Amino acid sequence: MKNSSLSLTFCCLISQSKGNGMNGSLKIIDRKKHLFKLSQGEYIAPEKVESVYSDSKLVLQILVEGNPDQNYIVALVVPEPENLKSWLETKGYKDSNDVTQLLSNKEMRKNFLLELRKIGSLKDLNSLEQARNLAFLTEPFSVENDLMSPTLKVRRGQARKHYENLILSLYEEGPLL
């Protein structure tokens, strides 16, 4: 065998780990087709960001989206109802019974985003991987509404189309942080 190098093509984004005790090993961080590029040329792996933000007890489901014309990402969050209610009370939102109205409150969304960004910082997300605006969804992603596959993975294409106007409105509003 003259050429001993092996060339492989992957459908996944692979990152060489520099820390966390992995000693330069490779790890798969997202599927190539899910990556999106921001206006400054940075590629974002949304499943990585979603995985980090899902560690929050306040998040039931989350979808992170980006636009190549923008320099930041946005998040669509289905909050975990019981933990959200407790969190709202600790933040001074006394009338947490009317959660639907509170979910559209800009100041409350900003406080929630700060919570997510704290988790992102602890898990080493860089500033471009941190969401800068978010909206709350009242209906979870499910197989019934065709936003989730039978294997319980979010169907990004359908979700992007379904929430296109909401995502655009988040970019029109601008970053909360």
Side-chain angles (χ1 to χ4, degrees):
M1 193 189 257
K2 288 185 178 183
N3 188 353
S4 62
S5 67
L6 178 63
S7 175
L8 297 175
T9 303
F10 287 97
C11 67
C12 304
L13 177 65
I14 298 177
S15 170
Q16 185 170 7
S17 178
K18 295 177 184 149
N20 301 328
M22 295 185 79
N23 299 330
S25 61
L26 298 178
K27 83 176 183 183
I28 297 173
I29 58 174
D30 207 343
R31 295 184 68 174
K32 183 179 174 184
K33 71 179 186 176
H34 291 167
L35 298 178
F36 52 81
K37 191 175 189 179
L38 297 178
S39 64
Q40 63 272 56
E42 183 77 18
Y43 283 95
I44 303 294
E47 288 180 1
K48 173 186 172 191
V49 178
E50 292 164 358
S51 174
V52 168
Y53 286 164
S54 291
D55 287 347
S56 170
K57 64 181 182 177
L58 299 172
V59 174
L60 182 63
Q61 294 175 320
I62 188 164
L63 178 73
V64 172
E65 273 301 315
N67 186 324
D69 298 333
Q70 301 292 332
N71 62 358
Y72 61 94
I73 62 175
V74 296
L76 303 179
V77 179
V78 178
E80 201 294 320
E82 291 305 313
N83 291 336
L84 177 67
K85 192 170 185 175
S86 301
W87 179 80
L88 287 170
E89 289 171 2
T90 63
K91 291 294 182 185
Y93 297 101
K94 299 296 181 203
D95 189 23
S96 60
N97 290 331
D98 188 12
V99 174
T100 309
Q101 184 179 3
L102 280 173
L103 293 180
S104 61
N105 178 307
K106 189 173 183 175
E107 193 61 33
M108 200 280 298
R109 290 174 31 232
K110 185 176 180 179
N111 285 331
F112 193 95
L113 190 57
L114 285 169
E115 294 289 326
L116 292 182
R117 290 177 66 96
K118 281 181 200 172
I119 291 169
S121 293
L122 290 173
K123 300 280 184 161
D124 296 325
L125 290 182
N126 70 43
S127 62
L128 295 175
E129 292 174 315
Q130 296 267 25
R132 301 217 18 227
N133 200 342
L134 68 80
F136 291 103
L137 305 175
T138 54
E139 181 184 7
F141 308 127
S142 67
V143 176
E144 290 78 25
N145 64 16
D146 204 32
L147 297 177
M148 196 168 265
S149 73
T151 58
L152 302 181
K153 294 178 184 166
V154 175
R155 290 184 166 162
R156 292 188 173 282
Q158 276 103 319
R160 193 176 294 123
K161 286 178 190 171
H162 187 78
Y163 294 112
E164 180 178 15
N165 291 333
L166 180 57
I167 293 167
L168 289 174
S169 72
L170 291 174
Y171 281 118
E172 287 172 7
E173 180 182 33
L176 291 177
L177 299 174

